[in-house]
DNA sequence: AAAAAATATGTTACCGATAACCCTAAACTA
DNA sequence: TAGTTTAGGGTTATCGGTAACATATTTTTT
């Protein structure tokens, strides 16, 4: 008990015993057992961040934002990676529940994550949802302006003179994929361009393979002159697929996408993108989470929508034949 | 107790009570408290991975390798990021000790990490050191062939006809930085090129700023025609600094470096690099760690040295004036 | 049918910390 | 001087599991 008082600076301790305790702690390399403490305090000072793709710079940057903010508030952060896979996500939720994290920053794999989020709700584990909304779940959110951003990207292509614009989208059980699709449609509608379903292909956000449809696009009667990819990895996959087929970007075909790549890594940023403030996704989300844990937040769920920024680079240009 | 037996499938339980317990568990959304379990079992099934730069693709790829292997063996993995900072590293070690991780995969910030590793040793926490050796610490290691790889990179430059080759190195309290420097010297020596200390500059591995010395290099009497950077981020920093000064790579100056960038991210890999098998660093390290934890390893420390692969790309070419 | 063995479940103590309460000696008050 | 504070520190119970042992049923053996 006396030791506990010294460690936590609580109660009254004479300077002499305090010193003695500290010295013995030093001698024995004593480190308090945080599990024992958590067991009685019913609080772990551990938070958890679940992302869907640890190789995507959007998420690693987000992770840094979350970690920095957690650290500053005296929390440790546990990372997890669901790989866009509901089964892994479920395992991760089990783990979070059994380790009794004080809260979770949750980037859901998709609409099917509702079940997992409800598990958290039932156990009263506070959480904040990042990046993707999940129908049926009321909670704090930090989101991007997927619809708006998509519209702006497509409008950028329209402004350049494109009229046949293909879209490569994510799985339709992911809210951002739906909204980006909606933004795409909206831009076409506003410009009075007829919608051609043959130009739209949905693959997973990480589907680097499965680019066979590119052949269909290219060999179509009226092939597209531009492609809007719903995220950064899809754009890369498309560009690689085009290169294999000797299609030049942007000379033959323009490509734009959502999400940038890490600035620290890219030497020659090439893609025209809607850049999302990834770091802020993490730091703001963490802030909301900590407020909620500490009871500083009202009952009503809060929703933060972060604007994206249109960054025009070389991958988008006027369609062939147009000056 | 009966519940415990059902959960762990130990002892004898009648099918009827087993079913009853399971049903009630379901109803109550019961999840066992892993802290309580760890407290009595003196085992957490949690491992810890400390890396020095979470934004570097070398480490994130390594992290995946470690995570996959941990997962397959029934362990959870906690990530930490020291930012090449001894103070943060120390905090992290404290955290590891207090959370009672069963073991640690440790990428040390430098020679000063010895103190932290000794803390782990004193508490009998098994660990495996990744990427960098720490003088005075005996332990399992997974390392790259820094010296060898550096020599090959420099020899590649020599083969192209370069004789004035600058080196931008990491902090000299990091073993890989020393070895890469040694490899550089060795290559020069083998080729009978006199060593010019004016061509060598040491900055931190993450020192993206502090590229002022580039001016000195360029304005020198006999400026270098090639630069060997001790890691990927240094190479990027150098190239950026060169661009600002209108020096073209590789036309005016060749640049090569250790460590590749994530293949998934780079659209047009440009740099000539010594690529290290980052994923294997993580997976092999994890394997060593788990063997040690489970007592399957002999007392003697094991040391795995993974070869790097010379990947020649566009950033290296013959010096100006040479065909 | 009594003893032995097997099966199914219950008890107790403990892991290492902390909350809540208790105790002792010195210092202070009336 | 007796009574009351106060400082300093000790005790006990508890968090939620599990090891080790104990008990109560059946089933099997002789």
């Amino acid at each position: 008990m006396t030791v506990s008082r010294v460690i936590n600076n609580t109660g009254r301790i004479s300077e002499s015993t305090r010193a003695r305790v500290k010295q013995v702690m030093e001698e024995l390399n004593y480190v308090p057992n945080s599990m024992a403490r958590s067991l009685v305090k019913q609080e772990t000072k551990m938070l958890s961040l679940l992302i869907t793709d640890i190789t995507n710079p959007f998420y690693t940057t987000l992770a840094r934002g979350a970690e920095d903010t957690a650290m500053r508030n005296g929390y440790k952060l546990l990372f997890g990676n669901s790989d866009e896979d509901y089964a892994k996500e479920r395992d991760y939720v089990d783990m979070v529940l059994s380790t009794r994290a004080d809260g979770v920053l949750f980037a859901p794999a998709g609409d099917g994550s509702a079940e997992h989020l409800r598990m958290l709700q039932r156990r009263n584990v506070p959480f904040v949802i990042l990046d993707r909304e999940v129908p049926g779940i009321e909670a704090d959110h930090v989101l991007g302006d997927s619809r708006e951003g998509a519209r702006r990207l497509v409008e950028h292509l329209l402004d350049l003179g494109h009229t046949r614009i293909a879209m490569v989208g994510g799985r339709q059980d992911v809210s951002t994929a739906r909204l980006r699709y909606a933004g795409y449609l909206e831009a076409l509608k506003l410009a009075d361009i007829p919608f051609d379903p043959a130009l739209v292909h949905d693959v997973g956000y990480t589907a680097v393979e499965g680019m066979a449809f590119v052949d269909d696009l290219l060999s179509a009667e009226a092939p597209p002159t531009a492609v809007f990819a719903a995220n950064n990895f899809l754009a890369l996959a498309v560009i690689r697929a085009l290169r294999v087929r000797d299609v030049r970007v942007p000379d033959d075909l323009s490509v734009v996408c959502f999400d940038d790549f890490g600035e620290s890594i890219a030497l020659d940023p090439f893609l025209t993108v809607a850049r999302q403030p990834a770091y802020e996704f993490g730091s703001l989300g963490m802030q909301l989470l900590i407020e909620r844990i500490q009871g500083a937040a009202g009952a009503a769920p809060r929703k933060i929508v972060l604007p994206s920024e249109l960054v025009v680079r070389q991958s988008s240009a006027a369609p062939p034949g147009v000056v």
Side-chain angles (χ1 to χ4, degrees), chain A:
Chain A
M1 196 59 230
T2 302
V3 173
S4 170
R5 287 196 180 101
V6 171
I7 292 171
N8 299 295
N9 260 311
T10 55
R12 296 180 228 284
I13 294 280
S14 72
E15 269 318 307
S16 63
T17 44
R18 181 193 303 279
R20 206 151 49 90
V21 167
K22 283 195 167 165
Q23 193 203 322
V24 175
M25 273 174 46
E26 196 70 30
E27 274 167 27
L28 301 180
N29 300 123
Y30 170 87
V31 180
N33 186 321
S34 67
M35 291 178 307
R37 170 186 286 149
S38 299
L39 199 54
V40 52
K41 295 207 104 172
Q42 301 293 49
E43 166 193 86
T44 57
K45 284 284 172 187
M46 278 266 216
L47 301 178
S48 209
L49 168 64
L50 178 64
I51 58 184
T52 65
D53 186 357
I54 200 183
T55 63
N56 192 321
F58 172 70
Y59 283 116
T60 55
T61 308
L62 182 156
R64 285 215 81 149
E67 191 193 17
D68 290 350
T69 306
M71 209 62 113
R72 262 202 304 282
N73 287 275
Y75 286 90
K76 310 289 181 197
L77 189 58
L78 192 68
F79 297 91
N81 179 37
S82 70
D83 258 335
E84 305 276 2
D85 175 338
Y86 289 128
K88 282 198 190 178
E89 188 174 277
R90 208 230 130 100
D91 284 351
Y92 189 73
V93 168
D94 277 340
M95 202 260 275
V96 164
L97 289 176
S98 78
T99 57
R100 299 294 196 269
D102 290 346
V104 189
L105 267 185
F106 202 111
D111 295 352
S113 302
E115 191 188 331
H116 306 148
L117 292 167
R118 265 188 229 105
M119 289 171 65
L120 293 176
Q121 285 177 328
R122 274 198 294 268
R123 307 288 304 183
N124 289 314
V125 178
F127 59 83
V128 172
I129 297 182
L130 299 182
D131 191 42
R132 303 171 180 179
E133 281 186 287
V134 178
I137 300 291
E138 290 272 290
D140 292 333
H141 280 83
V142 179
L143 305 168
D145 61 342
S146 282
R147 184 187 180 123
E148 183 85 359
R151 190 172 49 68
R152 291 227 307 279
L153 278 170
V154 175
E155 282 173 351
H156 162 69
L157 292 173
L158 293 168
D159 288 347
L160 287 170
H162 296 273
T163 54
R164 303 251 337 135
I165 301 173
M167 167 157 188
V168 182
R171 284 181 356 238
Q172 286 298 303
D173 68 331
V174 176
S175 71
T176 51
R178 285 192 296 268
L179 288 170
R180 288 167 198 181
Y181 181 53
Y184 165 79
L185 292 181
E186 189 177 327
L188 293 184
K189 187 155 204 180
L190 286 172
D192 271 328
I193 307 263
F195 165 62
D196 180 353
L199 291 179
V200 175
H201 289 265
D202 289 341
V203 292
Y205 274 152
T206 56
V208 177
E209 72 301 331
M211 283 290 144
F213 67 85
V214 168
D215 286 320
D216 299 339
L217 282 181
L218 295 175
S219 61
E221 203 171 316
T225 58
V227 175
F228 162 47
N231 87 343
N232 47 8
F233 279 16
L234 286 175
L236 284 189
V238 167
I239 291 183
R240 291 210 179 94
L242 292 174
R243 286 195 179 167
V244 170
R245 295 161 176 84
D246 278 329
V247 177
R248 290 162 306 162
V249 177
D251 312 58
D252 303 324
L253 201 69
S254 291
V255 175
V256 303
C257 70
F258 232 95
D259 291 336
D260 205 352
F261 300 86
E263 290 90 60
S264 62
I265 293 168
L267 198 51
D268 296 290
F270 166 72
L271 272 159
T272 292
V273 301
R275 180 201 288 156
Q276 301 200 84
Y279 188 91
E280 281 70 30
F281 269 75
S283 60
L284 286 175
M286 185 53 77
Q287 211 159 301
L288 292 188
L289 180 60
I290 291 174
E291 282 169 20
R292 192 149 293 287
I293 290 169
Q294 300 181 339
R302 294 159 297 170
K303 193 192 224 171
I304 295 182
V305 177
L306 297 173
S308 57
E309 178 195 357
L310 182 67
V311 181
V312 177
R313 300 203 186 97
Q314 298 87 51
S315 74
S316 57
V322 176
V323 181

